[in-house]
Amino acid sequence: MPSNKVLEAKKAVVEELAGKLKSACAGVLVSYNGITVAQDTALRKELREAGIEYLVVKNTLLKRAAEMVGIDEISSVLEGTTAIAISKDNHIGAAKILCKFADNNDFFKVKIGFVEGKVISEKEVHDLAKLPSKEVLIAQALSGLNYPITGLVTVLGGTMKSLVVALNAIAEKKSA
């Protein structure tokens, strides 16, 4: 039986992990079995530069933390090696980076993810990774809103041009 000191330390880890999960807008769980130190270092650097926290966690501690924040559906995949990437403000960043890494490395597997407290499957994580960034989506939406206005200006410009051409033809005919 573990000592009280060990139990208190584990409780603190669970509390801290639960706080991170609760404040996260998105997260992805992966199995990293077989990753080399160099690959892990490069992956962690890329995640850190994107503002994503990457942690290797014990399955039992993650299960307890997930239960505390209401995403206990993730416990179904908590077997073997588990790491979690947590993002506080970027919904697709972790999914993009980890899915790209998993596509290039057979040993690395995406297990499951969550977005805004809702658990999503491995397939949904891969679908999320394929989405364009927030800035691109905003630009596409604004372009879509701008298109009808541009079309109207073009049509009106064409009508004005036709009117000017017709008036010039009439003026040339009268002067001739």
Side-chain angles (χ1 to χ4, degrees):
M1 182 166 165
S3 69
N4 284 339
K5 186 177 179 182
V6 171
L7 284 176
E8 290 301 317
K10 287 184 178 183
K11 284 181 185 178
V13 169
V14 169
E15 289 287 333
E16 181 184 353
L17 189 54
K20 290 178 182 185
L21 291 174
K22 190 170 191 160
S23 66
C25 68
V28 178
L29 278 71
V30 296
S31 174
Y32 60 90
N33 195 22
I35 194 169
T36 66
V37 173
Q39 290 169 323
D40 187 54
T41 303
L43 179 62
R44 286 176 183 269
K45 181 177 186 264
E46 187 176 357
L47 288 165
R48 190 174 38 254
E49 288 171 353
I52 299 163
E53 188 172 3
Y54 183 75
L55 308 162
V56 173
V57 292
K58 287 190 170 198
N59 290 328
T60 53
L61 300 180
L62 181 56
K63 180 180 178 181
R64 293 190 195 286
E67 288 171 354
M68 290 175 71
V69 296
I71 55 171
D72 48 344
E73 295 95 354
I74 68 171
S75 62
S76 64
V77 298
L78 294 179
E79 298 172 351
T81 58
T82 303
I84 184 168
I86 302 171
S87 177
K88 291 186 179 184
D89 57 358
N90 185 347
H91 290 80
I92 63 173
K96 274 190 181 298
I97 294 169
L98 293 174
C99 286
K100 181 180 79 172
F101 190 81
D103 289 342
N104 296 333
N105 300 284
D106 292 338
F107 59 84
F108 195 84
K109 302 281 185 236
V110 173
K111 291 183 173 184
I112 203 166
F114 63 92
V115 176
E116 298 294 342
K118 181 185 178 296
V119 176
I120 60 175
S121 69
E122 175 192 356
K123 181 189 179 310
E124 291 171 317
V125 172
H126 283 281
D127 291 343
L128 183 65
K130 293 175 187 170
L131 286 175
S133 69
K134 181 180 178 181
E135 293 77 18
V136 171
L137 287 173
I138 290 171
Q140 289 173 343
L142 291 176
S143 174
L145 292 173
N146 194 26
Y147 182 74
I149 296 168
T150 305
L152 178 65
V153 169
T154 303
V155 168
L156 291 177
T159 305
M160 292 294 208
K161 183 178 178 185
S162 299
L163 178 64
V164 169
V165 168
L167 289 175
N168 275 342
I170 293 171
E172 287 178 8
K173 192 175 185 181
K174 285 191 177 186
S175 66

